Amino acid sequence: MKSDIGCGESGDGKFIYMNGILPLRYKMTVGQVKDNTLPALPIVLKKELGTKHSEIIFPTAPNLWQQADMNNVYGLTDAYSLEDIVGNNIHHIDDQEIFTFASNSLDVSKEPFFSLILSVSTHSPYDKYEGDNLFGNSQAFSQEYKNYLNTCHYTDRQIRTYFDTLKQKGIYDHSLIILAADHYAHLDMLKMDGQITDHTPLFIVHGQIDNKTAYRQECHQIDVYTTILDILGINNEWKGLGQTLLSPNYKNPINEETLHISEMIIEGDFFKD
């Protein structure tokens, strides 16, 4: 999957996934939309599927990068920040702490619910790693890239543990689970520029996707919103500016027209009543 972010990086990634709209090219999008009306997934799911509980778990201070404002504009009913995860012992947390908190807060009485969990361990800079050293003294890659791969393996283990909790609580089998990065890894900081691609993985669990007819090649972040609505059978008037991955008739949605439409939607507060 290709990243569609602008200068806002992580904030842009969340904005794309939540709304199916591209971020602004030359401004920080979250600073422009904090008072807008948006077609965010929690709002659409509440309207179309009766979802009453929607939450975000994020490993930063409540107001960093307009997070508190964006939680409101996205229609999230509950937000758990760094302070909620670690209490008064504020420190740089890792993914084990994040997913342990997410596991402990799971409440089957709140079904159906929407939950957005932001991990942190694989974030730059790549000067250290979490978990096991899988490369020993190998000189095949830069130390930064080895750190990153070790940490990816560590994060995978935390996700598996979280999945185990979902299964134990009887939630896993009837959940739609999307695993996606907010943006690409910085290849220059990994010292791997020109040696690997900046693609990111996309995993869709329990999407009931027919692999014989679904599109399975390079796609874009903006396609995730459209695909989620398609999987859930939501006939919302707004389907996002991306393409559904359930159909093989995929056309790259990223062009000057899509960028211009996104800018007009954001700057004109298009969805305001």
Side-chain angles (χ1 to χ4, degrees):
M1 184 168 63
K2 292 288 289 183
S3 297
D4 299 327
I5 62 170
C7 60
E9 298 223 343
S10 295
D12 284 356
K14 290 195 289 292
F15 177 79
I16 295 166
Y17 290 138
M18 283 291 209
N19 304 290
I21 304 170
L22 293 174
L24 296 171
R25 286 175 278 186
Y26 310 115
K27 299 178 184 178
M28 293 288 288
T29 301
V30 295
Q32 303 296 312
V33 300
K34 60 186 180 65
D35 297 316
N36 283 20
T37 300
L38 292 173
L41 279 172
I43 297 171
V44 173
L45 295 178
K46 180 179 179 180
K47 175 185 175 183
E48 300 294 334
L49 300 182
T51 302
K52 296 181 180 179
H53 178 74
S54 56
E55 67 179 19
I56 181 172
I57 299 171
F58 58 101
T60 64
N63 294 306
L64 185 67
W65 302 118
Q66 308 277 1
Q67 187 65 62
D69 291 330
M70 294 309 297
N71 291 341
N72 289 329
V73 78
Y74 290 152
L76 292 159
T77 60
D78 293 281
Y80 303 100
S81 67
L82 175 64
E83 298 168 3
D84 298 297
I85 298 171
V86 301
N88 294 325
N89 182 24
I90 301 298
H91 60 276
H92 181 74
I93 64 174
D94 57 37
D95 286 350
Q96 182 175 7
E97 292 174 284
I98 293 169
F99 282 101
T100 296
F101 178 86
S103 294
N104 291 338
S105 65
L106 281 171
D107 186 350
V108 295
S109 69
K110 293 180 178 179
E111 293 186 272
F113 62 83
F114 173 90
S115 181
L116 174 61
I117 304 171
L118 307 183
S119 65
V120 70
S121 291
T122 56
H123 201 284
S124 61
Y126 313 110
D127 54 357
K128 59 182 178 62
Y129 65 87
E130 301 283 358
D132 301 323
N133 180 8
L134 305 177
F135 295 91
N137 296 320
S138 171
Q139 301 300 310
F141 305 119
S142 68
Q143 184 59 52
E144 290 79 4
Y145 190 44
K146 290 189 291 186
N147 291 342
Y148 178 68
L149 292 177
N150 282 331
T151 305
C152 286
H153 178 68
Y154 162 82
T155 296
D156 285 348
R157 292 174 61 185
Q158 310 316 314
I159 294 172
R160 186 181 74 173
T161 300
Y162 180 68
F163 278 15
D164 287 342
T165 304
L166 290 175
K167 293 174 183 177
Q168 291 167 7
K169 296 196 174 186
I171 299 173
Y172 180 81
D173 287 335
H174 55 269
S175 294
L176 174 62
I177 303 170
I178 311 292
L179 301 177
D182 52 6
H183 60 77
Y184 49 75
H186 294 277
L187 304 190
D188 55 337
M189 296 176 69
L190 289 172
K191 298 182 180 179
M192 295 296 290
D193 207 0
Q195 300 179 64
I196 59 176
T197 74
D198 62 357
H199 289 81
T200 63
L202 170 65
F203 295 96
I204 301 177
V205 182
H206 294 149
Q208 306 301 319
I209 297 172
D210 186 345
N211 289 327
K212 294 179 180 178
T213 58
Y215 179 76
R216 296 176 59 81
Q217 300 181 52
E218 181 184 278
C219 64
H220 284 261
Q221 283 183 296
I222 199 171
D223 301 319
V224 173
Y225 180 95
T226 304
T227 301
I228 290 174
L229 297 189
D230 203 5
I231 289 172
L232 295 174
I234 294 176
N235 267 330
N236 203 42
E237 185 176 358
W238 174 254
K239 287 284 189 127
L241 295 173
Q243 298 271 308
T244 178
L245 302 179
L246 301 192
S247 168
N249 301 318
Y250 179 89
K251 294 181 181 179
N252 184 350
I254 305 302
N255 52 50
E256 189 65 29
E257 181 181 15
T258 311
L259 288 162
H260 181 57
I261 291 172
S262 294
E263 289 174 349
M264 289 194 298
I265 288 172
I266 293 169
E267 294 176 344
D269 197 4
F270 177 78
F271 293 98
K272 184 177 181 179
D273 292 334

